[in-house]
Amino acid sequence: MASNIIYRKAVNPYCKLWKVLNTPRWFSAQSCSKPVEGPSPVVNKERAALYVHWPYCKRRCTYCNFNKYISNDVNHERMRRCFQVEATNLLRDSPVREITSVFFGGGTPSLAEPRTLGAVLETVSKEAWLAPEAEISMEINPTSIETSKMKDFQIAGVNRSSIGVQTLNDSALRILGRDHHSKDSLRCLEKASEVFKKRTSVDLMFGYPGQSLDMWRKELTQMLSLCDHHISLYQLTLERGTQLFKDVAAGLTVMPSTDEMADMYFAAIEILDSHGFSQYEVSNFAKGGNYCQHNIAYWTGQQYIGVGPGSHGRVWRPREDGTHQRHACVQTLEPENWMWEVEKFGHATRKSTSQTNRDILEELVSVCLRTAWGLSEKNWSAIVTSVRLDEFLSSPQTVHWIQKGFLRKTAEGLKATPSGLAILDSILPDILVDIDTLMTSHRLSNQT
Amino acid sequence: MSLQHFFRHNAQRVCSACKQLHNQAVIRPHRHQSAVKHGLPQLFSDVIHAHNFSKWFFRQRRFASSGPPNKYSVDLSQFPVENIRNFSIIAHVDHGKSTLADRLLEITGTIPKVPQNQQVLDRLQVERERGITVKAQTASLIHTHNGQSYLLNLIDTPGHVDFHYEVSRSLAACQGVLLLVDANQGVQAQTVANFTLALESDLAIVPVINKIDLKAAQPEVVAHQMNSIFGISTDEILKISAKKGTGVWDILTAVIERIPPPKADASQPMKALLFDSWYDQYRGVIANIAVGDGVITKGEKVVCMSSKKVYEVHEIGFMHPTPLPVEALYAGQVGYIITNMRNTEEAQIGDTFCHERSDVQAHPGFRPAKAMVFAGLFPSDQSEFVALRSAVERLTLNDSSVSLHSDSSPALGQGFRMGFLGLLHLDVFCQRLEQEFNTSFIVTSPNVPFKVKVKGAKNIKEHGGSEVTILNPCHMPNPSVIEEYQEPMVKGTIICPDQYLGSVTSLCLDRRGLIEDQLNIDNTRIMLIIRFPLNEILVDFFDDLKSVTSGYASFDYEDAGYEISSLVKVDFMLNGSVVDELAMICHTTRARDTARRVCEKLRETIPRQQFGIIVQGAVRSKILAREDIRPFRKDVTAKCYGGDISRKTKLLKRQAEGKKKMRKIGNIDVPKDAFIKVLKR
């Protein structure tokens, strides 16, 4: 922790913000185990989460369609400089005064030099307030080399790790094209628990070719004996353009059926529940309140800034009349072009689309309902006041889904029931139609 | 300018495919090599060289040039009635009709002899691609025989059964036909149908065996077949190869000697039969006419006898093979006129033109073409409806045999229910719609017009008559008021090698066919006359027939009226709610199969939802088939972080848009795709 302080003792230019910053945070690592209230306060234009994208990987996983590049001669020096320049400029262009969390994702950020991450954090704390206890996460690939760098990453300022274990089945790791073995994962996990303590998470995947329900139960139980704080688990999704997609299309491999996938998903929820984990989002499970603050920011409609090739952001920008407009931004995709643009223009924001209230609301509803806390009155009214939440809750499709028992009204607003959470993708289009109707009729009644 | 003058004037301008001249895109006189070789006395030719034959052709077709130059004008008055022959070529598909027409045009010098001459008279893209003739065309040839100039009017007709009406119309303008049979394939089903048609019209028949150059040609066997089926003496039969040009010369002689001249008299009051028309975007209706008596001259006023409307003849001419304007058409001649008719409906096929205040006897007219096959036509996207409508309207201008009703379906939106003469007609129409108008649309599975008799005075009043024709299964009256069901029948002719008799018979019986007659046409081949319900041969019949006979069978059919039948309406239900647009009418014995097939398709195409769906096919309340769509338990995106959120919201928005358009049956969302898959052919 000593190292963190080095970066953050930089003079905080926003002293008057102390009051704001001292208000209790909804979920810190130490908070209670069961989520009771909405996880985050109303949208605050002066606070933001920061995402940093490291675009390089050592090899291509067969299932991955992320923005990643395989390169053997990464110019670390140049990348570092560009991250710093872009972070500085994006922060300066926004009303953000505090960064609540930082997340290094990729690609494979554990392939980056620890000092690159350190430099980014240093830059951030120069431009905004970064609280000493703020969550600084990174994704770590469990190979031996990367495990050995873990301590250095911690010294650089990282305080939470998400280990890309994927599976403990070695033949599955081969199918998935991963470059590690299960024993590497175990060693890495051990080290991570030592370095990051409770702030250690595991990425697990189910539904790979050849996996049975029984295998999955065993694997998950084994995993729980090693990581007891946070688990992200994903159903393997076939994405177009990946090797796995081609193999399945060509009939070389067979994915488990949708029913088997559903069985695995429900089995996982049951096992995790019996181990004291709570499902606080569709794919995320935490024990003892060890939530990922950064992701919660995404799911509650908070502002976030994306730095690095292809990263996305949702940023409020001041308008001339003093009000703010939210923008959906994307940075330039390819690392080379990204660096060139950053060097030339100071940032590589390729696209910035202003969002209407309806856009923001639709996004908010789609992500909020994925969480255990659901959609709250506070989140809703922070964005629109013209249409009230209870109007939405009494509109036809929403009522239909509530009556069917897939959605539930709560004291704060609306949330998905466990059965609803599992089929949320078929519910959302319906209730988005409701929102659309409400907003349209409201606009029309305003015009007349 | 007289015709002789024209010949003299053009004597040096006759040419053929002289490649060196293709470099010069100008009209240039030079000698016609083949003319010398064949010793052709005179040739009458508008020789136009362009870089590219089709470009030339296209320009002519469109009348785009600014009025034809004077030198094209020909005086037709020197062809007296006895020097005129109007004839047509009838044949089975692919027996070489269009090739023969090409050769006839070439050897008479009507078109330059270039290798590109293929199906010159088939002008539509679909005709060229499929190698079929859809629209009848005429071409006038001038040929000298025994020192006399003859005007031979060739009326090219479609070969396919669906276009029978075109054939019968064309035949009304002829006095004789060339009955063309392939020396390899022999007499085929359509040969029989066309022969009957010609015989009924009392036409002189010149039998011709084509493709004698082929290795597998058996002209003697085929001649024997023609003798046994048609009673044609084998000596009468001409043996030719249209491809090579062998014997084509003799055909011209036979046409002149064996086919009588039209019964016409130039001194009588003018009377002309309108036997076809087409629509030109720039010039309006172009009517093909056969002049009976008298003379019709450019600039004069003519009366359309059915409507009594008076039109001025703006242009008059004959097809050579492209329109060639003249001053007048005389008794017995075939040509075209352009008046100020704005749409093809004004130009009623079978109508008679005469002069004002003249009291000639009108032609009895033709039976209007009757639609036998109906199908729904819907735009792929509702926003394209207007474009589709205008395309359909423009296309029907040139094809008056298509019947058109507007239709709307809750699933497919606004569209049309169209009646076609047959399946090929439907195919051709759709292909033209796609190619010539670049529209995208959905065609539903074809069905036939059933008839029902309703009982009870109140019901009869409600349905506007005791006999109700049902074009759309949704509109079928309640079974309790129906006294009698009728379905359209056809008389089918199948000709195939006798070794396949067993499998063909069982195929026909399977399609509810009734074999009425069976005849050996030679030692190896057999002809079957079968009565079919039209509905049974609509889908896949021809393909099945071909596959059980290794492709050797030919099939043709003609309308055979309605017959009492036992029909039921099969309804389809999703969790008990009836899906109207899927209702189907079929024969009682077919109900279970139909129900099972559609239920299966629905199970495959309706996506699983969060509750189970029972798909049922039923007649009245009796369930005939059932499929279950099991509910899914999980449908949620695994990852939803920064970039995923953008992607996810975009997808959700699109789905929400789709939801607004999706057809809900009860509480089940049925994608349009499911309807298309079930309804599409």
Side-chain angles (χ1 to χ4, degrees), chain A residues 263-284:
Chain A
D263 286 340
M264 290 188 217
Y265 177 69
F266 289 113
I269 293 173
E270 189 195 307
I271 294 170
L272 286 161
D273 186 62
S274 68
H275 281 75
F277 278 81
S278 75
Q279 182 182 20
Y280 71 104
E281 197 258 357
V282 171
S283 306
N284 286 275

Side-chain angles (χ1 to χ4, degrees), chain B residues 571-579 602 614-618 620 623:
Chain B
D571 282 314
F572 293 92
M573 294 175 288
L574 298 180
N575 282 355
S577 312
V578 174
V579 191
L602 286 172
I614 301 166
V615 183
Q616 289 167 313
R620 300 223 219 173
I623 305 296

